[in-house]
Amino acid sequence: MRQHVIGDYIVDFLSREDGLIIEVDGAYHAELEQMEKDETREGVLEQMGYHVMRFSNEEVLFETEKVMQLIENYFK
């Protein structure tokens, strides 16, 4: 499913039954301030029992097979 609310956060993709969150990030996530916020957010979500996988827009668009393989590896 796409975009779910978990606590104070909205996540891009979520599989509750697998405990997996997939985030697809735009360029602003490479800025230091945003990276720090993302790290804090990821820590909170992990404390709630989720595993967070983060990919850039470019990875999803241009390295789709690699992204899919990394997601598949999570389930192995």
Side-chain angles (χ1 to χ4, degrees), residues 60-76:
V60 172
L61 290 172
F62 303 115
E63 300 177 48
T64 308
E65 291 298 319
K66 174 188 145 194
V67 170
M68 294 301 294
Q69 187 62 54
L70 290 168
I71 294 168
E72 285 178 22
N73 289 346
Y74 171 80
F75 293 101
K76 292 181 181 180

Side-chain angles (χ1 to χ4, degrees), residues 3-28:
Q3 289 197 316
H4 281 272
V5 176
I6 300 176
D8 293 334
Y9 303 109
I10 297 174
V11 299
D12 291 331
F13 298 94
L14 169 66
S15 175
R16 283 190 198 277
E17 50 276 350
D18 298 306
L20 178 63
I21 294 170
I22 297 173
E23 294 284 71
V24 180
D25 296 336
Y28 73 95

